[in-house]
Every structure is written in structure tokens, then in C-alpha cells.
Amino acid sequence: MIIAIDGPEASGKGTIAKLIAQKYGLRHLDSGLLYRLTGVALIDQDFADDAAFKQAAIASAQQITATDLDNPPAQARTMAGGVMASKVAVIPQVRDILTSIQQNIAKQKPGAVIDGRDIGTIVFPNAEFKFWVTASLKTRASRRLAEYTAKGKSDTLADVTAAIEERDHRDSSRAAAPMKKATDAHLIDTSKLSIDGVVEAMSAYIDAKLA
Ligand code: DC
């Protein structure tokens, strides 16, 4: 069984995907982490031009294996890690490599809940369940700001909002597998829902379809 959960940054999809995987006894696959792992190797490096960056990104993606997901470096989860992930994600060859890894992992029994940007459209277009999880920009920025503040960072709401808008734009405007709702995905707006509320809404949809 494959449950695809797509949506933009800070929509809550990762947290929800983990909980839904636990509930249904499936593996949770965070596809964004594959892009982050690919990108992290390139942070703090200088590249002569776009071609050199592209080549390094493809080489980095080629090094990634499924086991890397178990012990990601802390930098992969930072804001810089997210930005670099979004930059390598525009490269079609990188996407092809990481898409194969995702398909191989999720094919294993008993199946997986995968969260990302292109799971319901490209990686698993025939997934049994597809969700598009989103929230207003204001809600998403407030969530991110709370996370950063808890970590002792001093970003402002304006900084975080601008960074989210920039990443949304890059992810949705790229030519290769842009972030978008699959036409047959079930939309869940998490702006006014608690995490439990989202899990309940999603489970109700899944259970009704399984019945
Ligand atoms: O979900 P995340 O914030 O960890 O994702 C980081 C970046 O990786 C995201 O901005 C775009 C890219 N990504 C992607 O292009 N396709 C996916 N399926 C998952 C992530």
C-alpha cells in the first residue's frame, strides 16, 4: 500500500506522514530528506558555474543509498539544508536518481507513506491514497518561526515568510516534476486543525476507502 502525501514547506506533511505510517503499520519515507542529503554535500562549496554545480549535485545523488536516511547529518535539517535541497531538486538527473531510490524502498512490503512534492504526480502516480496537505502562508511561516525560535535563532516573521515564498516559488516553477496537487489527491488544509485533527481527517478518508 502506498500513501502519497504532498504539499509545500511547513504544511505539516512530515509529522502527519510519520503518524499515519505508525497507525497503518507502514514505513515512513521522507523524500525531502533524500534531496537534503544530496544538497548538504554541496553547502560551503564554491562552483565555477551552473554546470559545475549541476555535475556535483548529480555526483552527490549517485552516492546516496537508502541507509543514509537512517542517520542524516544535523545540517540536513537546517534552513540552509532545505534551500540547497530545493536547488538540487530542479536538476532532472538528480530527480531521476532519487525517484528510483524512493520507488525501490516503497515497493518493499508492507508499503509506505511517502511525503514530498511530486509523490502523487510522478513517483507513485498510481498510489492507493493521495493527499495534498497545505496551510496558509501565514500559518506555515508562524510554525517555522516557532521552530527556529525554540532553537534559539533570531529570525523574524518577515524573514521566514520570504524564505518560504522563495522556496515555494522554486519548487512549483521548475520544469522537472514541479510541486503540484495531483488532480485525484484529497486536499487537507491544516491551518485550523491540530495534528490529531489532521490524522483523524486523513484516517477517516483512508478507512472509508478501505471499507
Ligand atoms: O520536504 P522538505 O522541506 O524536506 O524538502 C526539501 C526540498 O526538497 C524541497 O524544497 C524541494 C525538494 N523536494 C522535491 O523536489 N521533491 C520531493 N519529493 C521532496 C522534496
Side-chain angles (χ1 to χ4, degrees), residues 27 29-42 55-73 76 81 84-85 88-89 93-105:
R27 178 179 179 140
L29 174 55
D30 171 2
S31 68
L33 185 53
L34 289 168
Y35 289 90
R36 286 172 182 265
L37 288 168
T38 302
V40 133
L42 312 182
Q55 209 179 2
I58 295 169
S60 174
Q62 281 165 338
Q63 303 288 315
I64 308 260
T65 63
T67 50
D68 294 326
L69 290 166
D70 300 333
N71 256 322
M84 196 51 108
V88 299
Q93 292 93 326
V94 167
R95 303 203 67 83
D96 288 346
I97 295 165
L98 302 184
T99 294
S100 292
I101 296 176
Q102 293 164 58
Q103 290 168 336
N104 286 333
I105 294 174

Side-chain angles (χ1 to χ4, degrees), residues 9 26 31 34 46 61 80 89 106-107 115 130 133 139 146 148 153 166 176 182 192 194 196 202:
E9 180 183 0
L26 299 168
S31 68
L34 289 168
D46 287 327
K107 260 195 329 221
D115 68 275
K130 295 185 189 180
V133 174
T139 303
Y148 293 154
K153 295 182 70 192
E166 193 182 332
K192 295 197 170 73
S194 64
D196 286 350
M202 225 176 237

Side-chain angles (χ1 to χ4, degrees), residues 13 31-32 35-36 85-86 89 95 116-119 167 171 174:
K13 63 187 186 326
S31 68
Y35 289 90
R36 286 172 182 265
S86 172
R95 303 203 67 83
R117 305 287 190 290
D118 63 337
I119 310 305
R167 185 122 76 92
D171 291 346
R174 67 183 176 226

